[in-house]
Amino acid sequence: MLDPVLTQELPSFVTHLECSITGKRYEADRVQELSEAGRPLLVRYDLAALAKSIDKETLAARTTGFWRYREFLPVRRAENVVSLGEVVTPLIPLANLSGGQVIVKDEGRLPTGSFKARGLALAVAMAKELGLSHLAMPTNGNAGAAMAAYASHAGLRTTVFCPDDTPEINVSEIALQGAAVYKVNGLINDCGKIVGAGKTSPGWFDVSTLKEPYRIEGKKTMGLELAEQFGWDLPDVIFYPTGGGTGLIGMWKAFDELEAMGWIGPKRPRMVAVQATGCAPIVKAYEDGVEHAPLWENAHTMAAGIRVPVAVGDFLILRAVRASGGFAIAVTDEAIAAALSEVAAKEGLLLCPEGAATYAAYKAARTDGRVKDHETTILFNCATGLKYPLPAVDRHIDKDNLPDLASL
Ligand SMILES: *Cc1c(COP(=O)(O)O)cnc(C)c1O
């Protein structure tokens, strides 16, 4: 049986969109991209009416993943909801490594194996609702896969551009899930320029990170879900692997909306933006005490999902980090690889490199005292580790000439 939240008409409480930097008001219910100031648009709701329409018990009775928050989301008509079987992602304590106060939220369990499913499900649903038919994006892999999957399911066309060092598995899954996908001899911002060039002709709609208003709303559901899983009392610290920062911005928005609705109090987790030392524009801006992060030259890291040299939402990430009393921290690829192996071997949990970066950053923050051992800490594992190239195993035995099995 399908959960009624996927099929029933439910009210939506969107009032308008708002420029995240100037506060200028924009109309909802029509196609919008960046604001005139070139910054992300945020969706605003009648939160008082939303609070009257639903209660925590009703929510608890629903069985689906992020679509359980239908009333908190912008989709107006049920026919535009697009679902591939989302789940509430599990919380997995790292009991062996931390005694259990460090908890991984494992987003790798979502459709297409990454948390990009959240943002892209919403972007695709809204594209459908607004009558768009051909979506395009630059991607390091997971976003393109999620867009292709949800758009094909919804009957929309997609065109995707990847840097040519994108993992082969991502390029293949994008192609198999119905997109026209091209490898480009450049970085993600070079791919973004190609998408920009195709906007007027052939008329692609640009679904790049934060360039349309709805991926943030999808990522916002991570904050709603975390709050619900913690009984509406948020954890102390959140480590988030930060590329474009959609998830960090989205969770921060979720917490503000929940507080305005009276569902949580003023307590906030300290938000920690984790990047790689080979691409750390947000960490540099945080340390320099500024609100905008200049383009990071020669970006490189094995954690492709956070290899984002420039973020249009930089100031939103930095404001959330600072307002929460958190910080931004960079870790080396060596620390990421070591963290990945350690968590896999000790906990039986295969993280993606970006997820492993959060564990490496957590360890550094424990050492320097920025996180205390009694604090409940969430690490975001944003994709399944199975999507990434894994180290080869080259131990063989000869079935006809077995060694002493006790020596194995
Ligand atoms: C996209 C992505 C990120 C970064 O997410 P943002 O919310 O855009 O900062 C991190 N890890 C993986 C695996 C990703 O696909």
Side-chain angles (χ1 to χ4, degrees), residues 260-281:
M261 290 170 64
W263 282 31
I264 62 171
K267 178 189 156 192
R268 292 286 184 283
R270 305 205 296 289
M271 306 297 284
V272 180
V274 178
Q275 298 198 303
T277 48
C279 181

Side-chain angles (χ1 to χ4, degrees), residues 205-402:
F205 183 70
D206 184 353
V207 190
S208 300
T209 306
L210 302 179
K211 288 195 181 162
E212 58 75 61
Y214 302 109
R215 284 176 61 181
I216 294 183
E217 293 305 294
K219 282 282 195 76
K220 180 178 91 175
T221 62
M222 291 192 297
L224 301 173
E225 202 170 291
L226 208 50
E228 191 179 8
Q229 284 176 306
F230 274 88
W232 308 103
D233 179 22
L234 296 169
D236 299 311
V237 192
I238 294 177
F239 280 75
Y240 187 79
T242 306
T246 331
L248 199 150
I249 297 165
M251 283 193 278
W252 196 246
K253 185 171 188 283
F255 301 152
D256 281 347
E257 291 177 357
L258 288 173
E259 187 181 357
M261 290 170 64
W263 282 31
I264 62 171
K267 178 189 156 192
R268 292 286 184 283
R270 305 205 296 289
M271 306 297 284
V272 180
V274 178
Q275 298 198 303
T277 48
C279 181
I282 298 297
V283 179
K284 177 156 192 326
Y286 171 77
E287 286 170 354
D288 291 348
V290 295
E291 274 222 314
H292 292 288
L295 178 107
W296 186 274
E297 301 288 348
N298 301 318
H300 62 89
T301 164
M302 70 185 280
I306 53 176
R307 195 175 56 213
V308 179
V310 63
V312 273
D314 51 5
F315 65 108
L316 296 171
I317 302 169
L318 287 156
R319 283 179 192 173
V321 164
R322 290 185 175 121
S324 72
F327 54 95
I329 179 172
V331 291
T332 63
D333 274 17
E334 293 69 47
I336 293 173
L340 200 152
S341 301
E342 188 180 352
V343 177
K346 300 267 171 56
E347 299 283 352
L349 192 56
L350 190 60
L351 303 176
C352 62
E354 299 80 2
T358 66
Y359 179 67
Y362 167 76
K363 279 179 60 165
R366 277 297 307 281
T367 305
D368 68 22
R370 285 193 276 187
V371 177
K372 308 277 178 286
D373 59 4
H374 64 270
E375 293 186 302
T376 304
T377 301
I378 303 297
L379 308 181
F380 268 88
N381 184 50
C382 14
T384 167
L386 292 172
K387 274 201 181 186
Y388 296 79
L390 299 175
V393 173
D394 55 3
R395 288 163 152 185
H396 296 272
I397 52 172
D398 177 359
K399 71 178 170 31
D400 301 318
N401 194 4
L402 284 181

Side-chain angles (χ1 to χ4, degrees), residues 131-172:
L132 296 165
S133 58
H134 193 160
L135 312 182
M137 71 152 61
T139 181
N140 283 325
N142 289 323
M147 178 177 78
Y150 279 95
S152 294
H153 205 68
L156 308 185
R157 268 182 80 184
T158 48
T159 303
V160 176
F161 301 92
C162 309
D164 52 16
D165 60 351
T166 301
E168 215 41 57
I169 179 111
N170 290 118
V171 183
S172 304

